[in-house]
Amino acid sequence: IKKAVKARARGNDLFKLGYYGEAEKSYNQALALLPEKNDVAVVISNNRAAARLKKGQYRQCIMDCTFVIEWARMKSQNESKSTITLLEGDISIRWHDQLGKALHRKAEALEKMVRISEALQVYEELIRMDAGDMKAINGIQRCQSKEVPQPPPRPTPAKSSTTTDTNSSAFPGLDYSIFEIKQVSNNEPPPSKAVAAMRARQAELAKEESERQEKADIVNARIDTWKRGREKNIRALLSSLDTLMWPGAQWRGAPINELLEPKKVKICYMKAIAKVHPDKLPSSTTVEQRLLASGIFSVLNQAWDDFRSNNKI
């Protein structure tokens, strides 16, 4: 356990410095030294979830969080919020805090994956734990603004008396139109500008989500083709990045013969990351371009972690 705790401490230091890939590797090393079902392993899995969230590895982050949440719920059933469990290696665990951290990370990962209804459920659980959790409150507000309510199914129009099949009726000759509800026109005022804007935004989000689902397979195929055989070769990835970048990105690539020096690789990598960082994309970026940027961002980050480790940058 002491070796695992030491690897975890190293991972925490790397995380604070922003070296999320290296931090994840340290957490992996720590977890390899522990049995899967272990209190310390749960805490380290929560740390790894944070690193994976920062790297854009949302599915892996959710897997870690789900494991932590289940364990923390079990542990906290008979413990108060202030209970502290002291373990070997000088680790103090507050299971209520571990649960809250894992829920926050899971909700954020779900939101990033545009799984809005699932993210909303997690944020609501956080509010039940702490009604004053402003981070969860803000998350709920974001999710509610993104949710697109599904319209109710249209009712099948009733057949009029002129189209009723009297031969199949139990009461032939009966005029069924007397049972039809006549629509009465009411003089309701037109929707306000705020309502109209909300409806327009909902329609826009619905269109965006439909396009996202439509383009996802195409984009994933392009990303797979680009990275195949180059996953750990950042020079090859950067020199061929122009095959994925869209014109609006204004990407000026570099041939591989200009990426021989590690310093030049770092400069090119930093420029590429700045172009595809999810938080730095302009509002005019299309759904397909955002999907491409997300995939490029993840692949380059993993390749850079390997390159920096091998070259001691």
Side-chain angles (χ1 to χ4, degrees):
I1 289 181
K2 289 183 179 180
K3 290 183 179 179
V5 171
K6 186 176 180 180
R8 173 189 180 249
R10 185 170 62 251
N12 288 348
D13 291 338
L14 289 165
F15 184 91
K16 291 173 185 176
L17 293 171
Y19 298 144
Y20 305 122
E22 291 297 320
E24 183 188 7
K25 289 180 180 178
S26 291
Y27 296 140
N28 288 339
Q29 291 170 3
L31 289 169
L33 297 169
L34 296 168
E36 181 181 357
K37 296 184 178 180
N38 176 279
D39 286 346
V40 180
V42 174
V43 176
I44 298 173
S45 294
N46 213 353
N47 295 141
R48 187 173 66 177
R52 287 175 164 178
L53 179 62
K54 289 291 187 181
K55 290 182 64 182
Q57 296 177 333
Y58 303 127
R59 288 185 178 84
Q60 294 92 326
C61 171
I62 291 171
M63 289 173 62
D64 277 341
C65 289
T66 301
F67 168 58
V68 174
I69 290 166
E70 291 176 355
W71 190 273
R73 280 175 178 161
M74 177 186 69
K75 284 286 184 176
S76 60
Q77 284 178 352
N78 299 319
E79 297 179 3
S80 66
K81 294 181 182 179
S82 59
T83 298
I84 300 176
T85 306
L86 295 176
L87 301 174
E88 294 182 54
D90 298 326
I91 293 182
S92 298
I93 301 178
R94 291 178 174 86
W95 288 112
H96 182 270
D97 293 347
Q98 289 293 321
L99 177 59
K101 289 177 182 179
L103 287 169
H104 269 295
R105 288 160 187 164
K106 182 176 182 179
E108 186 176 344
L110 288 167
E111 195 177 345
K112 291 286 188 182
M113 294 176 70
V114 201
R115 292 162 62 176
I116 302 303
S117 60
E118 295 174 72
L120 184 58
Q121 291 175 4
V122 181
Y123 282 129
E124 288 173 345
E125 181 174 349
L126 284 161
I127 292 298
R128 289 193 294 271
M129 290 174 59
D130 179 5
D133 188 337
M134 290 306 302
K135 190 175 179 181
I137 291 171
N138 292 334
I140 288 175
Q141 291 174 346
R142 287 194 306 273
C143 289
Q144 288 177 339
S145 68
K146 294 175 184 176
E147 273 199 315
V148 183
Q150 297 296 323
R154 294 183 179 180
T156 304
K159 293 182 179 180
S160 66
S161 59
T162 57
T163 59
T164 302
D165 185 358
T166 56
N167 293 329
S168 61
S169 170
F171 303 97
L174 178 62
D175 184 4
Y176 284 85
S177 64
I178 63 175
F179 299 109
E180 293 180 4
I181 299 175
K182 304 296 182 182
Q183 293 185 352
V184 179
S185 174
N186 51 18
N187 296 322
E188 292 182 358
S192 66
K193 290 182 179 180
V195 173
M198 181 186 70
R199 290 176 179 173
R201 178 57 180 158
Q202 290 174 342
E204 182 183 345
L205 288 170
K207 181 180 178 181
E208 182 177 318
E209 177 60 20
S210 175
E211 186 177 356
R212 183 184 297 275
Q213 294 177 2
E214 179 184 345
K215 300 288 187 180
D217 290 340
I218 298 173
V219 169
N220 289 338
R222 291 185 63 189
I223 294 290
D224 288 341
T225 300
W226 167 63
K227 73 176 184 179
R228 189 175 298 123
R230 307 185 182 104
E231 289 88 343
K232 296 185 178 182
N233 187 343
I234 195 166
R235 290 187 175 93
L237 290 170
L238 289 171
S239 65
S240 60
L241 185 55
D242 59 307
T243 61
L244 284 182
M245 283 293 201
W246 53 99
Q250 297 180 345
W251 168 250
R252 294 180 180 178
I256 199 164
N257 61 348
E258 294 182 10
L259 298 172
L260 299 179
E261 297 180 15
K263 288 184 179 179
K264 291 188 176 181
V265 174
K266 181 178 180 179
I267 292 171
C268 189
Y269 161 76
M270 295 300 291
K271 289 180 179 179
I273 286 297
K275 292 290 185 182
V276 298
H277 195 289
D279 297 334
K280 296 182 180 180
L281 295 174
S283 57
S284 59
T285 309
T286 67
V287 172
E288 183 174 0
Q289 290 165 356
R290 287 185 177 276
L291 289 170
L292 275 170
S294 179
I296 294 168
F297 182 79
S298 179
V299 172
L300 287 181
N301 269 333
Q302 293 180 44
W304 170 251
D305 288 337
D306 289 328
F307 179 81
R308 186 165 55 83
S309 178
N310 294 333
N311 291 271
K312 298 181 180 180
I313 296 177

